[in-house]
Amino acid sequence: MADQSTVQRMERSHYSPPWANTSIIGVAGSSGSGKTSLALAIIKQMSLPWVVILSMDSFYRPLTPDQIAAAHRNEYDFDSPDAIDFDVLVERLKDIKEGKKAEIPVYSFEKHSRLDKTTTIYSPHVLILEGIFALHDPRVLDLLDLRIFCEADADLCLSRRLVRDIKERGRDIEGCIKQWFGFVKPNFHKFVEPQRNVADIIVPRGIENKVAIDMVADRIHKTLDLKSEEHRAELKRLGKETKDL
Ligand code: CTP
């Protein structure tokens, strides 16, 4: 039997589609481990229409002018959880989960700050949250349907990061190396690696790991099927018409 709050919620909305309960998948792992590529490979394998990747980079806290100057000297720690605005992230994830649209900040790695614009996410079927701390905050963990840790060799992570930061994020090689040994590597061991303990799946070798990608896509399909069934049953219990769903 549906509880009172569920009944009230469902009666308020004319029709609550199955994707009002967006499935959220968290993908954590070292910087340069291939989280984004893994998320894209999962999406390709799932071939579902409404899937969105949300990068946690969008939730880096705004910095003061002094902090921005330190960041340009590669002396600001972006690899501590304190650098992320988890309160805003949790708010946005809750909105998305409930089928509401969410405004997402746009981040510039060149300026080390949020831009004056946002992008909008409209209740997708599946949202993949990727970032070094995707499995860090207990409030985020509570909202996740599946928790993935993407594993890669540290040398590979460093080399990927060097190429990317120099090509795409306006950085120089000395600065990248200073940041890696000053913050990225020590904080990986302190904060990022422990997230393996709360992961449902640890994926070694990222997008090369076709078996893991198949398994994840399959699991997401099953979760969505189950949610659709539960939703239909709920509507039926409430006496709503379900033949068009
Ligand atoms: N970072 C930075 N400058 C900023 C903000 C973040 O250099 N102004 C760095 C942090 O040091 C952190 C990294 O960005 O380690 C997080 O992004 P990363 O995980 O490397 O990129 P993704 O594309 O999300 O992940 P992947 O490389 O695994 O695909």
Side-chain angles (χ1 to χ4, degrees):
M1 190 63 191
D3 63 38
Q4 192 59 25
S5 66
T6 308
V7 173
Q8 281 168 351
R9 204 174 58 240
M10 298 197 65
E11 281 174 346
R12 265 204 309 274
S13 56
H14 306 295
Y15 162 55
S16 178
W19 54 89
N21 184 359
T22 295
S23 293
I24 307 182
I25 318 297
V27 180
S30 165
S31 171
S33 60
K35 300 178 292 294
T36 313
S37 310
L38 181 64
L40 287 166
I42 293 168
I43 289 180
K44 197 166 165 215
Q45 181 65 24
M46 281 189 311
S47 53
L48 275 171
W50 300 103
V51 186
V52 166
I53 297 180
L54 176 59
S55 171
M56 286 186 69
D57 303 339
S58 299
F59 298 92
Y60 272 110
R61 289 183 195 282
L63 303 183
T64 64
D66 282 352
Q67 289 171 325
I68 292 179
H72 283 295
R73 296 192 305 271
N74 304 97
E75 289 170 4
Y76 187 84
D77 186 359
F78 289 103
D79 289 82
S80 155
D82 292 342
I84 303 276
D85 195 339
F86 280 103
D87 291 346
V88 175
L89 171 66
V90 169
E91 247 176 56
R92 297 296 180 276
L93 288 179
K94 281 185 178 161
D95 283 347
I96 291 168
K97 190 105 186 158
E98 286 171 14
K100 295 182 196 152
K101 70 172 186 171
E103 296 298 331
I104 307 297
V106 178
Y107 191 73
S108 160
F109 282 94
E110 280 162 341
K111 297 185 175 153
H112 300 289
S113 64
R114 288 181 191 167
L115 300 179
D116 269 346
K117 56 181 178 183
T118 56
T119 48
T120 310
I121 294 185
Y122 297 94
S123 59
H125 286 176
V126 178
L127 179 120
I128 302 186
L129 173 72
E130 71 84 15
I132 53 174
F133 295 125
L135 306 182
H136 176 82
D137 188 298
R139 295 167 298 169
V140 174
L141 287 176
D142 277 351
L143 294 166
L144 297 180
D145 294 81
L146 187 61
R147 306 162 180 187
I148 300 174
F149 189 88
C150 177
E151 198 147 69
D153 182 79
D155 294 342
L156 192 60
C157 294
L158 173 58
S159 37
R160 278 198 195 128
R161 178 163 164 134
L162 287 177
V163 173
R164 182 202 58 204
D165 282 7
I166 291 163
K167 270 194 184 161
E168 296 168 20
R169 294 186 179 175
R171 309 292 169 87
D172 61 55
I173 189 141
E174 290 82 6
C176 288
I177 291 171
K178 179 176 169 185
Q179 199 182 344
W180 179 268
F181 287 103
F183 301 116
V184 185
K185 190 176 173 192
N187 281 349
F188 169 76
H189 294 301
K190 200 166 166 192
F191 299 116
V192 180
E193 203 175 22
Q195 296 173 106
R196 291 171 102 257
N197 298 326
V198 292
D200 298 311
I201 302 175
I202 294 169
V203 178
R205 304 185 311 284
I207 52 165
E208 286 166 37
N209 195 331
K210 304 268 181 277
V211 175
I213 291 166
D214 271 4
M215 279 170 54
V216 170
D218 196 45
R219 163 78 196 214
I220 296 169
H221 275 300
K222 283 193 181 124
T223 306
L224 289 176
D225 287 348
L226 190 70
K227 282 185 181 179
S228 287
E229 270 172 37
E230 283 172 0
H231 180 75
R232 278 164 190 262
E234 192 95 346
L235 288 178
K236 212 171 169 191
R237 271 200 296 275
L238 291 167
K240 305 261 177 186
E241 198 56 69
T242 60
K243 66 178 173 5
D244 297 331
L245 304 181

